[in-house]
């Protein structure tokens, strides 16, 4: 009787879940309430893994897929969306290290600020690659064969595609603006000397 009761309450092992498809890696991406550098880098890692991975079977897609044309557009939109999220994460990571302006009293810490600004600069510059990729995938999802075909389960992806194609969403301008301002801050800090403070 005791053996039967123990067998009934025996702990069963849960199988490990292996991530190998884009959809699996994308599910690991999440925006944290507090944007710490490690959180942003974790998201960048998962999104980059998603970009490199294969798509799951259409049966397990993040949207209802019934035709080959829907499947093709779904893949293009998903790739575009992943690249846009990578830009957002690089901007967030860059802003953590960024200093919006250089003040006269920053002179004693200018070396530390310059190191952080170089980190921010590399984050912003990485965004250019993802922006080119996002535009490429948006253009592929915007060809005439997809006219009047909408992936309604992922309306935000469709909205992003439309905004990219019309120029309403233009991360090139954002990245240019951030880098121009950041380069000015760097030059202001470099110009500081012992008599500045």
């Amino acid at each position: 009787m005791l053996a039967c009761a123990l067998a009934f309450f025996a702990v069963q092992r849960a199988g490990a879940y292996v991530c190998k498809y884009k959809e699996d890696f994308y599910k690991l991406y999440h925006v944290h309430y507090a944007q710490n550098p490690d959180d942003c880098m974790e998201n960048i890692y998962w999104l980059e893994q998603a970009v490199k991975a294969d798509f799951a079977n259409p049966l397990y897609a993040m949207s209802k897929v019934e035709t080959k044309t829907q499947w093709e557009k779904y893949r293009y939109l998903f790739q575009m969306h992943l690249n846009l999220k990578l830009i957002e994460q690089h901007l967030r990571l860059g802003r953590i290290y960024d200093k919006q302006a250089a003040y006269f009293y920053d002179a004693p810490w200018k070396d530390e600020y310059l190191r952080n600004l170089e980190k921010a600069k590399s984050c912003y510059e990485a965004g250019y690659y993802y922006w080119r990729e996002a535009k490429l995938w948006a253009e592929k999802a915007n060809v005439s064969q997809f006219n009047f075909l909408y992936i309604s389960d992922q309306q935000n992806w469709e909205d992003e595609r439309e905004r990219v194609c019309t120029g309403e969403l233009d991360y090139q301008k954002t990245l240019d603006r951030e880098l121009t301002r950041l380069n000015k801050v760097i030059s202001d800090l470099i110009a500081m000397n012992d008599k500045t403070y």
Side-chain angles (χ1 to χ4, degrees):
M1 179 92 129
L2 181 60
C4 184
L6 288 175
F8 181 73
F9 291 111
V11 177
Q12 294 183 4
R13 278 201 229 167
Y17 181 75
V18 177
C19 290
K20 64 182 197 178
Y21 298 113
K22 286 185 188 304
E23 291 82 358
D24 298 332
F25 286 112
Y26 182 70
K27 288 176 186 174
L28 295 173
Y29 158 78
H30 56 286
V31 177
H32 299 267
Y33 179 71
Q35 294 293 310
N36 298 317
D38 288 344
D39 300 329
C40 291
M41 287 186 274
E42 175 190 357
N43 277 337
I44 289 169
Y45 175 79
W46 293 129
L47 290 168
E48 285 179 345
Q49 294 304 311
V51 167
K52 292 188 282 187
D54 291 331
F55 285 94
N57 186 293
L59 185 62
Y60 303 108
M62 295 175 65
S63 175
K64 186 176 182 180
V65 175
E66 295 177 333
T67 66
K68 287 182 180 181
T69 309
Q70 282 179 328
W71 176 235
E72 185 178 0
K73 186 171 185 182
Y74 166 83
R75 292 189 323 242
Y76 296 158
L77 288 174
F78 197 3
Q79 284 290 103
M80 175 207 66
H81 179 70
L82 289 172
N83 281 287
L84 290 174
K85 290 298 171 194
L86 278 161
I87 296 167
E88 288 175 14
Q89 288 302 307
H90 277 85
L91 283 169
R92 283 185 177 156
L93 184 59
R95 286 185 186 126
I96 291 169
Y97 295 109
D98 201 346
K99 180 162 180 48
Q100 298 298 312
Y103 301 102
F104 71 95
Y105 49 79
D106 291 332
W109 303 281
K110 94 175 189 180
D111 291 336
E112 183 63 31
Y113 285 137
L114 288 170
R115 278 193 294 276
N116 283 341
L117 288 170
E118 284 302 320
K119 292 177 188 175
K121 186 175 183 178
S122 67
C123 290
Y124 296 153
E125 288 173 344
Y128 286 115
Y129 169 78
Y130 297 113
W131 175 240
R132 285 190 299 273
E133 288 292 308
K135 284 195 313 185
L136 174 74
W137 292 109
E139 288 170 13
K140 287 184 176 186
N142 203 41
V143 296
S144 60
Q145 80 179 40
F146 298 130
N147 285 350
F148 306 108
L149 172 66
Y150 300 101
I151 308 296
S152 55
D153 292 349
Q154 295 295 339
Q155 186 61 46
N156 61 321
W157 297 358
E158 290 282 2
D159 294 344
E160 287 172 344
R161 176 200 50 80
E162 183 66 22
R163 292 177 63 217
V164 168
C165 291
T166 60
E168 185 182 341
L169 177 60
D170 188 354
Y171 276 117
Q172 177 81 35
K173 288 180 184 175
T174 304
L175 293 166
D176 288 346
R177 182 188 66 233
E178 293 299 315
L179 280 169
T180 302
R181 181 196 46 74
L182 185 134
N183 285 327
K184 182 182 180 324
V185 174
I186 288 174
S187 62
D188 289 348
L189 283 168
I190 290 172
M192 289 182 183
N193 56 34
D194 295 340
K195 298 178 183 177
T196 306
Y197 182 63

